Amino acid sequence: MVRIFVIDNGGQWTHREWRTLRDLEVQTKIVPNTTIFEDLQKEKIQGLVLSGGAPRIGLDGSLGNCAEYLEKADFPILGICAGHQFMARFFGGEVKPSKIPEFGQVEMTLIKDDDALFEGVLKKSIVWESHNDEVTVLPKDFVRIAESENCKIQAMQHKKKQFYGLQFHPEVEHTEYGEHIFKNFIQLCEE
Amino acid sequence: MFNAEKFIEKTIPNLQKDIQRKALIAFSGGVDSTVCAALVNKAIGDRLIAVHVNTGYMRKNEPEQVKQMMEDLSLNYRFVDASKEYYAALKGVEDPEKKRKIIGEKFIRIFEKVAREEKVDYLVQGTIAPDWIESGGGLRDTIKSHHNVGGLPKDMKLKLAEPLRDLYKDEVRKVARVLHLKVSERQPFPGPGLAIRIIGEPTPERTELVREACDIVEKEIERASEQGLMERPWQYFAVLIPIKTVGVHGDKRAYGNTIAIRAVQSVDAMTCHYSTIPHEVLDTISTKITNTMKEKVNRIVYDVTNKPPGTVEWE
């Protein structure tokens, strides 16, 4: 069984991420973002999910020890919402309040169609959103994978590492390919 | 996937180990507290005392139905009618968070009183995952104080047992089915009851209005679902908006309140899509409410908000 932990940044849906992983037979646990990296290593984890956060935390919050994880991890990391925004800032991108924030149902378009995380996902699909801020400048080591009408960076990936950032929420029931995306992420962690 | 049989097998011995003496359960008659009561009853038998509080904000005939359910489950129960006290405590209160806190605190005080009389040391609650997630604490922002979490006073003297804490509603329903509980398919009803389906002060008169409207919405939607006109929603009810608008009744001017129809589809209440109610069903509901409550209600609106950005309940 693969071991993937969920780092809790205080999001409303942290528990949903845990549940989706648990339902897919992953050994998983929600841990606070103050956990030190060494303790995660001791747990022999193979992947990490950085949860969404309390309001505006992605904009300028430090998100506990998330920086340390991004600096040291040699396993895949999936940043969601505030986790994604923090990932972008950490690698030199920019996060700003959205001109048009998105809440609820949004149509997402894949720009890059050979991405492992989105394998089997249709070019256009329904995702659910809940954000006031967004990544406005992509970090230079990243590629853009998906966009929506009002948010150009819905998904991004590090060019060399298995680090992914998603602005939308794959963990909620109403995101069409949510579970599918998690399955793909689990596969990346198993490899 | 979640395995209800295994969950039951694991939970009962844990409860037996934790609860050495007597426990009390806040029994609302909903899926969560009924499943909880059934589990704890299996674990410790009649050392469990079920307490149902009639807050005055229950739905039509609900107190009688809950009493019958407690009988059917052979629970050792107490039925407390505190409606007058609740109405008094909420007099002049309009703020939704204040309503929730007052109701939550009163619940606990009543349970504490029974607990003292019965010498229990454990309070069992049917708290499920979204309850404590939405109640905030730590890093999380408070969306709403759920009565069974945020409403807990800091000086509470009872120990807390929450066996369903990590489950979602659909999983609780699975447990209910395995335990053969009739309540398994019942729609969720919030602890603060109709008080949070009345925007503004929840007076006894307004409560009567929303109670009647909720009853009509529930019956018509259930009828439509049974006839295959629509999918049965996750939750469906009426909200009283005490904003008056002008209408015409016969040749007379009318000036009454507004009722909103709310129905949502969901699996776990964490995200919801508003339900598509066929126009003919909306029409029947609208006509029934305005005709039976014509002195008080003369306008009906249909809520088409998803969660997010909305929540299921309005307060």
Side-chain angles (χ1 to χ4, degrees):
Chain A
M1 249 214 263
V2 56
R3 282 170 77 77
I4 303 171
F5 282 9
V6 178
I7 298 294
D8 183 16
N9 292 313
Q12 295 295 322
W13 293 325
T14 302
H15 210 273
R16 276 277 347 171
E17 288 149 14
W18 172 84
R19 179 182 175 177
T20 307
L21 290 170
R22 184 203 64 179
D23 287 355
L24 293 168
E25 313 286 339
V26 170
Q27 281 186 359
T28 183
K29 203 157 98 180
I30 298 175
V31 291
N33 63 11
T34 47
T35 311
I36 56 168
F37 186 72
E38 258 178 39
D39 288 346
L40 291 176
Q41 273 181 316
K42 274 182 213 149
E43 295 269 9
K44 297 196 170 32
I45 56 164
Q46 292 152 277
L48 212 53
V49 173
L50 310 181
S51 85
R56 317 323 286 261
I57 212 172
L59 197 58
D60 49 17
S62 70
L63 265 70
N65 288 330
C66 282
E68 195 192 359
Y69 315 149
L70 291 167
E71 198 181 316
K72 296 180 180 167
D74 53 1
F75 44 72
I77 294 184
L78 181 64
I80 296 174
C81 197
H84 150 76
Q85 294 165 7
F86 181 79
M87 187 183 282
R89 279 199 287 127
F90 178 83
F91 287 103
E94 261 181 56
V95 178
K96 288 224 171 83
S98 306
K99 281 202 184 103
I100 304 175
E102 299 170 302
F103 303 103
Q105 185 173 313
V106 163
E107 187 183 66
M108 183 180 77
T109 308
L110 291 179
I111 316 164
K112 191 172 169 284
D113 52 13
D114 59 344
D115 193 89
L117 189 68
F118 289 89
E119 203 194 309
V121 176
L122 283 187
K123 194 166 171 61
K124 283 185 185 298
S125 70
I126 296 298
V127 298
W128 274 45
E129 305 273 352
S130 193
H131 67 102
N132 289 298
D133 310 315
E134 66 185 67
V135 178
T136 48
V137 177
L138 194 72
K140 71 170 173 32
D141 290 333
F142 278 70
V143 283
R144 206 159 65 94
I145 310 173
E147 65 178 15
S148 66
E149 190 189 351
N150 293 315
C151 174
K152 291 300 146 203
I153 306 174
Q154 281 293 348
M156 59 176 199
Q157 191 205 349
H158 195 284
K159 285 176 187 160
K160 298 187 193 84
K161 301 175 178 185
Q162 300 277 30
F163 290 177
Y164 285 90
L166 307 178
Q167 182 54 67
F168 67 96
H169 289 268
E171 71 275 24
V172 304
E173 190 67 35
H174 286 89
T175 292
E176 214 177 337
Y177 287 96
E179 197 184 82
H180 190 95
I181 292 167
F182 267 97
K183 275 186 193 159
N184 288 344
F185 181 68
I186 293 166
Q187 206 161 19
L188 290 171
C189 297
E190 278 169 338
E191 279 164 11
Chain B
M1 278 318 269
F2 172 74
N3 184 320
E5 281 92 355
K6 269 196 199 145
F7 173 80
I8 297 167
E9 264 171 47
K10 209 175 65 193
T11 303
I12 291 175
N14 281 343
L15 289 167
Q16 281 165 337
K17 201 172 72 206
D18 286 346
I19 309 171
Q20 296 293 335
R21 288 158 58 197
K22 282 164 101 178
L24 182 146
I25 185 166
F27 189 91
S28 72
V31 187
D32 306 334
S33 63
T34 307
V35 167
C36 236
L39 285 172
V40 182
N41 196 38
K42 271 188 193 297
I44 65 165
D46 63 7
R47 281 192 287 133
L48 170 72
I49 296 140
V51 182
H52 177 75
V53 180
N54 178 10
T55 58
Y57 294 108
M58 309 299 284
R59 286 168 294 181
K60 206 172 183 178
N61 305 324
E62 198 166 13
E64 296 73 27
Q65 287 163 3
V66 173
K67 211 181 232 178
Q68 190 56 49
M69 281 169 68
M70 294 192 289
E71 291 279 347
D72 294 345
L73 284 167
S74 320
L75 293 176
N76 178 5
Y77 74 86
R78 306 281 176 279
F79 186 88
V80 184
D81 186 354
S83 42
K84 285 203 181 106
E85 264 177 64
Y86 272 92
Y87 290 144
L90 288 166
K91 198 167 165 33
V93 179
E94 293 185 357
D95 180 71
E97 276 302 291
K98 269 194 195 142
K99 286 183 195 172
R100 284 176 176 267
K101 290 252 159 74
I102 291 171
I103 292 168
E105 167 126 20
K106 254 196 162 342
F107 266 122
I108 297 290
R109 293 301 164 219
I110 292 169
F111 297 138
E112 271 190 334
K113 188 165 170 275
V114 182
R116 266 196 308 274
E117 287 163 10
E118 299 282 347
K119 297 195 171 53
V120 309
D121 51 352
Y122 260 93
L123 177 66
V124 183
Q125 290 204 119
T127 312
I128 63 169
D131 295 343
W132 61 265
I133 294 170
E134 288 199 339
S135 288
L139 296 164
R140 242 171 296 280
D141 197 39
T142 302
I143 304 298
K144 299 175 184 175
S145 300
H146 285 268
H147 71 287
N148 44 4
V149 186
L152 286 183
K154 291 197 173 59
D155 61 342
M156 201 190 64
K157 291 179 190 73
L158 296 164
K159 279 181 267 182
L160 205 57
E162 297 176 321
L164 309 179
R165 222 185 126 73
D166 278 331
L167 305 195
Y168 285 84
K169 194 69 109 188
D170 56 309
E171 297 171 332
V172 180
R173 290 192 201 282
K174 282 185 188 156
V175 178
R177 284 177 209 129
V178 172
L179 295 171
H180 303 293
L181 299 174
K182 270 188 276 177
V183 78
S184 63
E185 313 311 313
R186 194 172 188 250
Q187 68 157 320
F189 184 62
L194 299 175
I196 56 162
R197 290 181 180 173
I198 299 164
I199 308 307
E201 187 185 351
T203 62
E205 296 72 33
R206 284 180 174 173
T207 309
E208 276 315 311
L209 287 182
V210 81
R211 185 170 4 244
E212 197 55 42
C214 268
D215 188 55
I216 294 171
V217 170
E218 281 191 15
K219 283 198 176 123
E220 291 308 320
I221 287 188
E222 276 160 19
R223 194 198 320 262
S225 321
E226 274 157 32
Q227 288 170 351
L229 295 173
M230 63 183 287
E231 194 184 330
R232 189 170 161 172
W234 157 273
Q235 210 169 326
Y236 43 102
F237 53 90
V239 180
L240 174 68
I241 314 166
I243 285 177
K244 291 196 170 175
T245 68
V246 176
V248 55
H249 286 169
D251 292 319
K252 231 173 110 220
R253 174 189 152 99
Y255 192 52
N257 292 291
T258 307
I259 288 281
I261 302 169
R262 177 69 162 154
V264 297
Q265 299 301 139
S266 185
V267 173
D268 56 16
M270 297 305 279
T271 46
C272 303
H273 206 288
Y274 74 83
S275 298
T276 341
I277 308 175
H279 276 283
E280 52 192 294
V281 181
L282 287 171
D283 211 346
T284 314
I285 295 173
S286 170
T287 308
K288 275 215 170 134
I289 294 178
T290 46
N291 283 3
T292 52
M293 301 164 69
K294 51 180 170 255
E295 302 303 319
K296 308 280 183 174
V297 178
N298 63 344
R299 193 165 297 271
I300 309 295
V301 295
Y302 176 25
D303 182 356
V304 291
T305 320
N306 295 335
K307 170 184 180 175
T311 55
V312 180
E313 299 285 348
W314 279 36
E315 290 197 332

